[in-house]
Amino acid sequence: MFESLQALPEDPILGLMAAFRADTASRKIDLGVGVYKDEHGKTPVLAAVRAAEQAVLADQQTKTYVGPAGNEQFNALMTELILGNKHTALTSRRVRAVQAPGGCGALRLGAELLIATGSRPTVHVSDPTWANHVPLLSNAGLKLEPYPYFDARTGTVRFDAMLERLNALPAGDVVLLHGCCHNPTGADLSLDQWRKVADVVLARRLIPYVDIAYQGLGEGIEADAEGARLIAATVPEALVAVSCSKNFGLYRERVGLLMVLTETETQATASASHLRKIARGIYSMPPDHGAAIVARILSDAKLNADWRNELDAMRNRMLKLRHTFAAALSKTCNAEVGNAIDKQRGMFSMLPLKPEAVDTLREQNHIYMTRDGRINIAGISLESIDYLAEAVGSVFGR
């Protein structure tokens, strides 16, 4: 049976990881993998996470199943973290949430729920978007189409072109929106732009699907959720996929959440029943450990405060790196490139480099990034900025 299978090409990012590990150069920089790193290149366990984990293990009396919907305390607390505890969608009981295996699992659950409606809508994703959006959604059977989003020359959002495209979409289609810290570009919508998008989505009767994977790493916990909150307050129906990998540092624990907003409480209850059935048919039940840690942090005043302080420190470190790197690029490339990097937010930005220039950086300077020029800002160190900026300047414009 399996002799007909041919080896597939390596995933670009996973292949980049392997190449970086195999590189024996004494000076090398990994800007490819999307994880937070400290000044020493390590991805630490947050102190609040470590304390919560110890408390969870001390209190845990069983390892029995948690059920297809997962940890209900986690679901409730994360829903409040995203929407705020007094959001109209919550007070009207039109929101339901299920735990999922990471943000990826949440995105796939949402795709399967769209299929379950029988409508098979087209999903419109930003150009560019996170690479894994495509297989996660299309492998469920959904058709994907791009909408204009990023101007690589200026490093800004092509908002007029984006709005024009959304205004032309048929009712019932789905629009995937990055809640904050756009991956891969770092170019986010302003709150005023979110309002205009929400108005168009409502008028055109589109379904917004918000993917929020970096809450707290852009402008702050509350500010980063404003777009999702505005959408949920404006439209009758929406999906929101959430990841706890980055802001809690729980990458390998696979902690995610899918929220569904419907027009009525009855529809919300029906949707949740379908989500539980879908989850049961794919992976049965989500892993509990990471969700229990998040629930402990969010329900404990001291742990919650400690986590928020650590998250602030992570965000401020990346902002400092971004500002310093932008200033260096203004000298080695040009001011336009530097200004764009400086204004963007989150873990990622895209350097305006051709694939061949990226290859040169890897081969000659041992600097690793994806061939579209996406870089992980957290992969930079203050010590490496001048070297990195000079190397980028040497291939800029080629």
Side-chain angles (χ1 to χ4, degrees):
M1 179 180 292
F2 302 113
E3 66 185 11
S4 63
L5 297 179
Q6 300 295 315
L8 295 173
E10 185 80 67
D11 178 280
I13 294 180
L14 298 181
L16 206 61
M17 291 171 60
F20 178 80
R21 287 194 296 265
D23 191 333
T24 58
S26 58
R27 186 170 203 172
K28 57 182 182 177
I29 304 174
D30 178 14
L31 305 178
V33 183
V35 299
Y36 177 81
K37 298 180 182 180
D38 62 18
E39 185 65 17
H40 306 291
K42 305 297 183 182
T43 303
V45 178
L46 300 184
V49 166
R50 194 177 295 281
E53 184 171 41
Q54 292 171 351
V56 165
L57 292 175
D59 292 346
Q60 198 171 65
Q61 300 298 316
T62 182
K63 294 288 186 182
T64 192
Y65 297 116
V66 294
N71 185 316
E72 294 292 357
Q73 184 187 29
F74 165 83
N75 294 342
L77 292 169
M78 281 300 300
T79 300
E80 290 187 3
L81 185 70
I82 298 294
L83 295 181
N85 58 11
K86 296 182 180 179
H87 195 283
T88 179
L90 292 180
T91 57
S92 61
R93 299 183 56 81
R94 295 164 44 230
V95 174
R96 297 292 184 274
V98 296
Q99 182 193 335
C104 292
L107 285 162
R108 185 55 176 265
L109 275 181
E112 296 288 351
L113 183 63
L114 293 171
I115 293 291
T117 66
S119 59
R120 288 187 176 270
T122 296
V123 179
H124 301 266
V125 300
S126 65
D127 178 20
T129 194
W130 178 46
N132 214 25
H133 278 151
V134 177
L136 283 171
L137 302 178
S138 63
N139 287 355
L142 295 170
K143 179 184 177 183
L144 270 62
E145 294 287 349
Y147 61 79
Y149 188 81
F150 186 65
D151 185 330
R153 184 185 63 82
T154 62
T156 59
V157 177
R158 298 175 58 199
F159 188 66
D160 290 343
M162 173 185 174
L163 216 58
E164 182 180 3
R165 180 66 58 82
L166 297 188
N167 259 312
L169 300 183
D173 271 10
V174 176
V175 181
L176 186 68
L177 300 162
H178 296 233
C180 64
C181 306
H182 187 274
N183 181 0
T185 70
D188 286 344
L189 299 175
S190 68
L191 187 56
D192 182 60
Q193 289 172 332
W194 273 106
R195 289 192 184 96
K196 293 177 180 177
V197 168
D199 289 342
V200 169
V201 166
L202 178 64
R204 299 295 304 173
R205 299 176 61 199
L206 305 173
I207 309 299
Y209 195 162
V210 181
D211 181 9
I212 182 163
Y214 306 94
Q215 186 182 6
L217 291 173
E219 297 287 354
I221 291 176
E222 300 302 315
D224 290 347
E226 285 183 336
R229 292 175 182 180
L230 181 62
I231 289 288
T234 305
V235 303
E237 297 179 334
L239 293 169
V240 181
V242 184
S243 170
C244 297
S245 292
K246 309 301 192 298
N247 53 4
F248 286 89
L250 290 167
Y251 306 91
R252 67 174 62 174
E253 305 296 352
R254 312 310 302 135
V255 189
L257 180 88
L258 180 73
M259 294 164 38
V260 56
L261 167 69
T262 61
E263 194 166 11
T264 68
E265 182 179 351
T266 300
Q267 292 170 2
T269 300
S271 297
S273 71
H274 280 272
L275 285 173
R276 291 192 296 270
K277 181 180 179 181
I278 292 167
R280 181 71 169 145
I282 300 177
Y283 51 81
S284 187
M285 301 176 198
D288 177 64
H289 188 67
I293 291 171
V294 172
R296 179 61 68 114
I297 289 172
L298 295 180
S299 63
D300 182 287
K302 183 180 184 306
L303 289 177
N304 195 325
D306 290 346
W307 166 67
R308 288 170 181 262
N309 288 335
E310 289 184 273
L311 188 58
D312 287 346
M314 292 163 62
R315 180 182 68 256
N316 289 333
R317 176 178 175 272
M318 288 194 296
L319 285 172
K320 182 177 180 179
L321 288 171
R322 185 178 286 281
H323 295 328
T324 309
F325 184 47
L329 285 178
S330 295
K331 298 175 181 177
T332 62
C333 297
N334 60 45
E336 190 172 49
V337 173
N339 289 337
I341 296 293
D342 198 34
K343 291 177 181 178
Q344 293 159 5
R345 289 295 178 265
M347 292 180 64
F348 302 108
S349 283
M350 290 186 75
L351 296 175
L353 299 176
K354 296 179 180 179
E356 295 76 17
V358 173
D359 294 340
T360 298
L361 288 175
R362 184 177 65 251
E363 294 161 4
Q364 297 185 6
N365 304 96
H366 308 279
I367 296 170
Y368 290 76
M369 66 184 74
T370 55
R371 295 190 83 225
D372 59 3
R374 187 196 82 161
I375 60 170
N376 175 12
I377 295 294
I380 303 172
S381 66
L382 290 172
E383 181 273 333
S384 69
I385 281 179
D386 288 341
Y387 173 76
L388 176 61
E390 289 172 6
V392 171
S394 71
V395 298
F396 179 71
R398 290 188 186 179

